[in-house]
Amino acid sequence: MRYLPLSNTDRGDMLARIGVNSIDDLFADIPENVRLEGLLDLPKRASEMQVERKLSAMAEKNTSAGSVPFFVGAGAYKHHVPATVDHLIQRSEFLTSYTPYQPEITQGTLQYLFEFQTQVARLTAMDVANASMYDGSTGTGEAVLMAHRVTKRNKAVLSGGLHPQYREVVEGLSNMSGDRVVSLPADPMGTEDILSQIDDETSCVVVQSPSFYGQLIDLKPIAEKAHQHKALLIAVFTEVVSLGLIEPPGTQGADIVVGEGQSIGNGLNFGGPYVGLFATRQKYVRQMPGRLCGETVDAEGKRGFVLTLSTREQHIRRDKATSNICTNSGLCCLAFTIHMALLGQAGLTKLARINHGNAVRLRKLLSAVPGVEVLNAAYFNEFTLSLPKVAEDVVEQLAERGVLAGLPVSRLEPENKDLANLLVVASTEVNTDEDRAAFAAALKEVLA
């Protein structure tokens, strides 16, 4: 028997609350010409081998990231993940009970969460980090809500260099809670005047560095201005490998640091699952969302680990909870921890230098293509090109020539026609000289 706890009245109330008339209205963003009116064109029954054969044939129509020169970034990056990571995450020491609530049977889980928190705190130069969030975008939304609790204000200022999808998450959460958001226009050059937007009503300023367009942003003057008005600086990153080379947000005055950790230990995985990193100052720890593991000793004085802080609505009164996120990205978090342990500080710095060096070489080749302008003077492993043609069309033509060239900004900012010719490209350690040469040659041919 199916258990359906919601009545038609319940569903009607929820739809009315979010401002739509029916469940079908929730799919309004999907163009009508690509919506399915019936079942998929598949046989209603087939053997397991027939299904495998059919789906394999369908999958082969895709061009996978590892099969051609690949320069797509913009929040999800193709890095090399050592085989050791996949081997170790399957060891029984880490396969103890799912929930860390019972320390007597979950020491494996609790220890790697503790190590993960330590790694994130050191990477960001912050006092304390939690046991992870779902991903960078939802972590950013949680950071804004946390800033509102700390400052008892409800106005967030979002930089135009913030990833558009991160911005949409913040705007969506704020819309439902009645909080105010000031979203600055897209800032491909990294020259916006965000300081003038900070006032005594501001709760937080959200700035991404490297920005969505690859620009490196000096956070210190923004932190100073925010603190003058008793507001918080939320520093965001989408490429965690960058922290191996650039000054960490913590030493630049950030109050909350949040970002995406996919680049370390986790593959692209067709868009997820990923792992959100979240760190803050000690004085704000009780307003931090998610869970926090700590080190202790048992009755015999032996070292052990426990769930130290978890102010979620699952554990305390709902109106006192810091978040309704009731878990963390356990497996992705473990993969991150193992890869970071393999790299160590010297390894991460070396990896970051290789990434930057490859991006420098790619920039030199692409900037020599007639009609191409590189918008970035300073960058890590990602930068933005201004093309003489619509970037989305160029990317399609490059894909036909066997190069996945990057992300057209118009894909995430379709309403802004001024961004139609911009292309965000990334070069990591997986790219070779031959890959970069193929990209430059194909781009020259397409733009001729």
Side-chain angles (χ1 to χ4, degrees):
M1 178 182 294
R2 298 179 67 190
Y3 172 62
L4 301 173
L6 301 178
S7 67
N8 289 334
T9 302
D10 294 332
R11 295 189 184 89
D13 289 344
M14 288 190 289
L15 292 172
R17 178 69 179 85
I18 60 177
V20 297
N21 295 319
S22 68
I23 291 177
D24 289 340
D25 289 346
L26 299 177
F27 301 94
D29 290 335
I30 302 174
E32 290 190 17
N33 63 333
V34 298
R35 294 185 205 172
L36 288 174
E37 299 297 333
L39 298 176
L40 289 168
D41 183 21
L42 292 171
K44 292 184 178 179
R45 62 189 65 82
S47 69
E48 185 172 323
M49 285 192 296
Q50 288 173 319
V51 171
E52 288 179 351
R53 193 176 299 119
K54 180 75 174 181
L55 293 181
S56 296
M58 293 171 65
E60 287 174 359
K61 295 179 181 179
N62 292 319
T63 302
S64 64
S67 63
V68 295
F70 183 85
F71 300 92
V72 184
Y77 303 89
K78 178 171 173 53
H79 289 283
H80 172 67
V81 179
T84 313
V85 173
D86 188 54
H87 173 72
L88 290 179
I89 63 175
Q90 300 178 62
R91 287 188 62 90
S92 60
E93 292 91 334
F94 303 115
L95 296 178
T96 50
S97 177
Y98 160 75
T99 173
Y101 303 142
Q102 296 172 278
E104 65 273 23
I105 60 172
T106 58
Q107 283 301 295
T109 298
L110 287 164
Q111 180 170 359
Y112 83 70
L113 291 178
F114 179 80
E115 304 292 355
F116 169 83
Q117 293 168 182
T118 305
Q119 291 171 344
V120 174
R122 293 190 63 180
L123 274 172
T124 57
M126 300 296 283
D127 298 330
V128 59
N130 72 14
S132 80
M133 311 296 287
Y134 289 141
D135 56 29
S137 63
T138 54
T140 302
E142 289 287 338
V144 170
L145 296 177
M146 173 179 162
H148 292 347
R149 291 192 297 274
V150 170
T151 62
K152 302 188 186 311
R153 302 172 182 173
N154 70 345
K155 175 187 169 185
V157 177
L158 309 187
S159 164
L162 183 64
H163 194 294
Q165 292 174 328
Y166 288 37
R167 182 193 69 217
E168 290 178 3
V169 169
V170 174
E171 291 175 340
L173 285 171
S174 302
N175 180 49
M176 297 307 296
S177 58
D179 296 328
R180 292 184 292 166
V181 176
V182 176
S183 297
L184 301 187
D187 184 33
M189 302 298 293
T191 55
E192 67 184 3
D193 179 17
I194 199 169
L195 299 183
S196 64
Q197 300 296 322
I198 304 172
D199 56 28
D200 290 338
E201 296 182 350
T202 303
S203 161
C204 59
V205 189
V206 185
V207 183
Q208 179 179 328
S209 181
S211 76
F212 172 68
Y213 301 95
Q215 304 286 358
L216 297 180
I217 308 298
D218 184 1
L219 301 176
K220 293 176 182 174
I222 304 173
E224 183 178 346
K225 181 69 180 294
H227 295 160
Q228 287 174 2
H229 292 272
K230 301 187 185 306
L232 303 186
L233 170 61
I234 298 174
V236 178
F237 57 86
T238 58
E239 170 57 292
V240 64
V241 176
S242 67
L243 296 179
L245 207 55
I246 65 176
E247 183 176 1
T251 61
Q252 297 191 63
D255 300 285
I256 303 172
V257 181
V258 61
E260 178 54 61
Q262 170 267 324
S263 287
I264 296 181
N266 293 277
L268 289 170
N269 300 336
F270 297 97
Y274 289 170
V275 52
L277 313 185
F278 197 110
T280 188
R281 303 291 179 189
Q282 181 69 38
K283 61 183 176 181
Y284 302 132
V285 67
R286 290 193 173 276
Q287 291 299 331
M288 185 170 62
R291 53 173 56 139
L292 185 66
C293 296
E295 181 183 1
T296 186
V297 293
D298 64 13
E300 299 176 351
K302 296 178 181 175
R303 186 189 189 212
F305 302 91
V306 294
L307 196 59
T308 302
L309 187 68
S310 190
T311 54
R312 304 175 302 154
E313 62 185 29
Q314 180 175 330
H315 298 128
I316 62 177
R317 285 190 302 170
R318 184 173 187 176
D319 58 339
K320 297 292 184 183
T322 59
S323 170
N324 63 3
I325 291 182
C326 296
T327 187
N328 64 289
S329 296
L331 190 61
C332 297
C333 172
L334 174 59
F336 178 100
T337 307
I338 291 172
H339 194 180
M340 270 302 303
L342 291 170
L343 286 169
Q345 183 173 348
L348 179 66
T349 302
K350 182 178 180 181
L351 176 63
R353 289 190 184 281
I354 293 172
N355 272 251
H356 181 59
N358 282 351
V360 169
R361 285 184 275 275
L362 180 64
R363 182 187 189 279
K364 183 178 181 181
L365 286 174
L366 298 183
S367 62
V369 176
V372 174
E373 179 187 3
V374 180
L375 302 186
N376 307 62
Y379 53 93
F380 172 58
N381 68 353
E382 193 164 28
F383 50 84
T384 300
L385 303 178
S386 177
L387 305 177
K389 296 181 178 179
V390 173
E392 192 159 348
D393 297 340
V394 172
V395 165
E396 293 299 327
Q397 294 177 56
L398 290 171
E400 293 171 0
R401 289 163 172 78
V403 176
L404 298 182
L407 181 84
V409 176
S410 60
R411 191 164 296 172
L412 299 184
E413 299 277 17
E415 306 298 328
N416 192 336
K417 303 305 178 188
D418 293 338
L419 307 176
N421 288 15
L422 300 188
L423 177 66
V424 178
V425 298
S427 185
T428 71
E429 76 280 4
V430 303
N431 298 129
T432 64
D433 287 339
E434 290 75 18
D435 292 341
R436 288 182 284 274
F439 185 3
L443 183 61
K444 185 176 182 180
E445 182 179 322
V446 168
L447 297 181

